[in-house]
Amino acid sequence: MTRPQTRFEASTLATSDAITDLTDQIMAFLSDHGVEDRATHHTALVLNEVLTNLGTHGGCRDRVAKIAVVVEPDTVKGEIVDAGPPFDPRSAPDPAFDVTPSERPIGGLGLHLVKKLSSDLEYTRRNDRNYTSFAISRRQSVE
Amino acid sequence: MEIHDEHVGDTWIVTAKGRLDGNASANFADHVGRLIESANPKLLIDFTGVDFVSSAGVWPCFYSAKRSNPPAGRSLSAACATQCGRYSISPTSHLCSAFIPRAEAIAAMGK
């Protein structure tokens, strides 16, 4: 079966350098396929945040994660498959927004952005791997 | 990312361009940290030229702000808002005290 040309696939470690390289690749791919700046930014940010969380809190910088991105007419869909400990990003608590920035504990923003910017955020655990998928609307919307 | 400093009055203005992610954050936080710890740490950071910022990139800035005296902390918060507003990401606006143009921020620093 021939894969559509609008699909991007990559394998990456969850290190800062590797995540930066992947972000470059994703943004170039989406731009080349005519995806709007906003959707390009949000897709790259969601992938960046999930991978950063995997490396920082999942202790899996040295284990390869697989990434797939598909461009569709109305959305960009993404999937991350990793071998980290079970973690459902939907269950992550939101940062404390009821205190001032100077009083706020560090952490929690990345996964909050993942939940806020994406739609159809899904998670399953199969064969000792996390499958996290999401969609980013290509239409300007209220965020 | 590119970082450029200029001194306007008694305020250091740091202009950042490029990408502020987990890979760039340590260098940027060190740079900002040195200015905050200087003798007169009035500091304004202009993120207008930053085209991508992740939580790993922005948190070191807030960490620096939390370590700093109140004037520097306020200026960092305002500067972060300037960048975060680019795509109207409302969650980040909760993190920032204001969304203000550069000239207005400079004027506010003098108060």
Side-chain angles (χ1 to χ4, degrees):
Chain A
M1 179 176 148
T2 303
R3 288 177 173 157
Q5 292 181 334
T6 52
R7 183 178 178 90
F8 171 93
E9 292 181 343
S11 297
T12 184
L13 298 176
T15 63
S16 294
D17 286 344
I19 293 170
T20 294
D21 288 345
L22 180 77
T23 302
D24 284 338
Q25 294 175 45
I26 294 285
M27 295 184 85
F29 169 80
L30 294 175
S31 179
D32 289 347
H33 285 80
V35 174
E36 301 75 14
D37 288 348
R38 174 190 159 280
T40 295
H41 174 272
H42 287 7
T43 302
L45 182 58
V46 168
L47 288 167
N48 188 304
E49 297 292 358
V50 172
L51 290 169
T52 297
N53 191 70
L54 175 65
T56 303
H57 301 293
C60 291
R61 290 185 176 89
D62 58 347
R63 300 171 79 172
V64 171
K66 293 185 176 179
I67 309 301
V69 171
V70 177
V71 177
E72 297 186 350
D74 293 330
T75 60
V76 178
K77 292 184 176 177
E79 182 181 60
I80 304 107
V81 181
D82 68 77
F87 178 71
D88 183 347
R90 300 172 302 182
S91 66
D94 288 336
F97 288 132
D98 55 349
V99 295
T100 65
S102 62
E103 297 169 332
R104 186 170 300 128
I106 300 293
L109 174 62
L111 290 174
H112 176 74
L113 288 173
V114 168
K115 290 186 287 185
K116 191 74 179 180
L117 299 181
S118 64
S119 58
D120 299 328
L121 181 62
E122 300 289 345
Y123 168 82
T124 59
R125 177 82 177 176
R126 300 195 303 268
N127 302 320
D128 295 327
R129 282 176 167 71
N130 299 308
Y131 289 74
T132 305
S133 62
F134 65 92
I136 300 292
S137 172
R138 296 183 61 183
R139 308 294 176 221
Q140 189 71 42
S141 61
V142 177
E143 291 167 341
Chain B
M1 76 180 308
E2 298 176 31
I3 306 172
H4 173 71
D5 297 337
E6 60 183 312
H7 210 203
V8 177
D10 61 351
T11 299
W12 278 106
I13 299 177
V14 180
T15 302
K17 292 184 178 177
R19 185 175 303 169
L20 180 56
D21 61 7
N23 210 26
S25 63
N27 182 48
F28 185 73
D30 285 347
H31 189 96
V32 171
R34 282 194 294 273
L35 294 175
I36 286 176
E37 289 165 7
S38 65
N40 184 19
K42 275 193 172 181
L43 187 64
L44 173 68
I45 303 178
D46 185 349
F47 279 157
T48 309
V50 174
D51 54 19
F52 182 94
V53 61
S54 71
S55 63
V58 78
W59 275 124
C61 301
F62 282 100
Y63 181 71
S64 294
K66 288 159 79 74
R67 287 189 307 164
S68 73
N69 62 16
R74 281 198 299 270
S75 67
L76 279 167
S77 295
C80 286
T82 301
Q83 193 284 331
C84 293
R86 178 171 178 159
Y87 290 108
S88 301
I89 302 173
S90 58
T92 48
S93 67
H94 291 287
L95 295 168
C96 309
S97 58
F99 172 44
I100 52 179
R102 178 178 173 130
E104 190 176 324
I106 293 172
M109 293 295 292
K111 294 179 181 175

